[in-house]
Amino acid sequence: MTRSERFSYQPGGAICGLAVAALLAACSQPPSTQEQRDDLARSVIEQKKITTPDATSTATTTDGYKQDLARRIAQVNSTSVYIERPQALLRAVIVIKYVVDRDGNLVKSEILRSNRDRHAESSALGSLKNTAPFPKPPAALLRDGRIELSESWLFNNDGRFQLRSVALAQMGE
């Protein structure tokens, strides 16, 4: 093969090169500011302050209890959690409806929304089940001895997630 043959113009090669450049540009993230890193550090410290599962949550609203549980799920599954801002285009969003009884036991869980990413579905359900039992819900929030909640798991391309209740804003928002 001559030098001119090796470097000759190939239409598919130019398109491929542009696609690779676009992919690399899309994957790059702007550097975070010191303020964002400090906020993130404070958030991680707060997650570590979550009470043990046998304690009763001090939340006064359903949203407050949901946030307590989201922090607890993130704490227990810390190696699977993405702690910075989620990427702009998420790999998957999995919405799970689940029921917790008065003692903090997970009674029922089901996927309400999925993009059919079986790995993400399994990871979301597994993180929920791994965390149970949860802190006991306040009696004022119970209906028939239970509380029904739903939560969204936001998955980045690397398979790690955040829970929408406690997630940072996505990139580009």
Side-chain angles (χ1 to χ4, degrees):
M1 180 181 292
T2 68
R3 181 181 165 107
S4 63
E5 288 173 327
R6 280 186 285 172
F7 296 106
S8 65
Y9 174 74
Q10 296 177 12
I15 292 171
C16 182
L18 287 174
V20 168
L23 180 62
L24 290 173
C27 291
S28 66
Q29 301 183 71
S32 58
T33 65
Q34 184 62 45
E35 182 180 356
Q36 290 170 324
R37 289 189 297 274
D38 290 346
D39 288 343
L40 179 60
R42 279 191 287 279
S43 171
V44 170
I45 290 167
E46 285 302 312
Q47 286 181 12
K48 297 298 182 188
K49 291 181 180 178
I50 299 299
T51 58
T52 59
D54 60 342
T56 300
S57 173
T58 58
T60 58
T61 65
T62 301
D63 283 340
Y65 182 63
K66 183 175 159 178
Q67 289 174 353
D68 285 352
L69 297 188
R71 287 185 197 97
R72 178 79 180 150
I73 292 167
Q75 177 188 16
V76 170
N77 300 280
S78 62
T79 59
S80 300
V81 173
Y82 191 76
I83 59 170
E84 292 188 19
R85 293 177 67 188
Q87 64 195 39
L89 297 173
L90 296 167
R91 168 183 161 177
V93 176
I94 309 296
V95 180
I96 298 178
K97 177 174 78 171
Y98 61 102
V99 178
V100 176
D101 71 12
R102 73 179 76 247
D103 296 320
N105 297 309
L106 180 64
V107 176
K108 177 182 174 185
S109 61
E110 67 178 298
I111 295 175
L112 294 180
R113 178 180 167 213
S114 174
N115 64 339
R116 308 269 193 277
D117 181 330
R118 298 296 177 222
H119 182 267
E121 289 176 355
S122 176
S123 179
L125 285 168
S127 67
L128 183 66
K129 291 175 183 175
N130 288 342
T131 306
F134 300 105
K136 297 174 186 174
L141 301 179
L142 298 174
R143 287 202 173 120
D144 297 323
R146 300 174 166 193
I147 183 169
E148 185 175 299
L149 305 159
S150 63
E151 182 63 78
S152 300
W153 274 251
L154 312 174
F155 284 88
N156 275 352
N157 287 340
D158 64 4
R160 292 180 295 158
F161 65 86
Q162 282 191 12
L163 298 157
R164 187 175 302 277
S165 297
V166 293
L168 299 171
Q170 281 178 259
M171 301 229 176
E173 284 189 5

